[in-house]
């Protein structure tokens, strides 16, 4: 699954998003994904890596976005906390 699909699936897991939030994602987050020349999803480390509150999240994603042209690296964390 691609980075945009991961983000959209996570964001809409409980229903449609308000228009203002969709606009903000389109303005601030999706361009990071689109411009990235490298996109990586960090792997799930499993239950043994959980801290005391680790089990309270239903969905949790970490995406590393590398934009070589802009010489930037972004960590996009999608979590329900």
């Amino acid at each position: 699954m691609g980075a945009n699909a991961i983000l959209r699936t996570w964001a809409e897991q409980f229903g449609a998003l308000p228009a203002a939030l969709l606009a903000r994602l389109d303005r601030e987050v999706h361009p990071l994904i689109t411009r990235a020349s490298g996109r990586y999803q960090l792997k799930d480390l499993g239950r043994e890596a959980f801290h005391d509150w680790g089990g309270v999240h239903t969905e949790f994603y970490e995406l590393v976005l590398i934009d070589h042209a802009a010489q930037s690296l972004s960590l996009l964390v999608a979590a329900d906390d």
Side-chain angles (χ1 to χ4, degrees):
M1 183 181 313
N4 277 315
I6 289 169
L7 181 62
R8 182 152 311 267
T9 299
W10 169 79
E12 295 176 347
Q13 66 183 306
F14 299 114
L17 298 178
L21 181 53
L22 279 173
R24 189 164 185 180
L25 289 172
D26 286 344
R27 184 177 62 251
E28 297 179 22
V29 178
H30 290 294
L32 291 173
I33 296 170
T34 302
R35 287 192 306 259
S37 49
R39 299 168 195 85
Y40 305 92
Q41 180 178 356
L42 299 181
K43 72 178 192 167
D44 182 346
L45 297 177
R47 300 210 44 91
E48 62 274 359
F50 278 18
H51 60 76
D52 293 342
W53 289 90
V56 300
H57 301 291
T58 56
E59 297 288 333
F60 183 85
Y61 299 98
E62 293 176 303
L63 303 171
V64 176
L65 308 169
I66 300 171
D67 182 342
H68 287 95
Q71 297 182 340
S72 70
L73 180 140
S74 299
L75 174 63
L76 176 60
V77 178
D80 57 0
D81 61 344

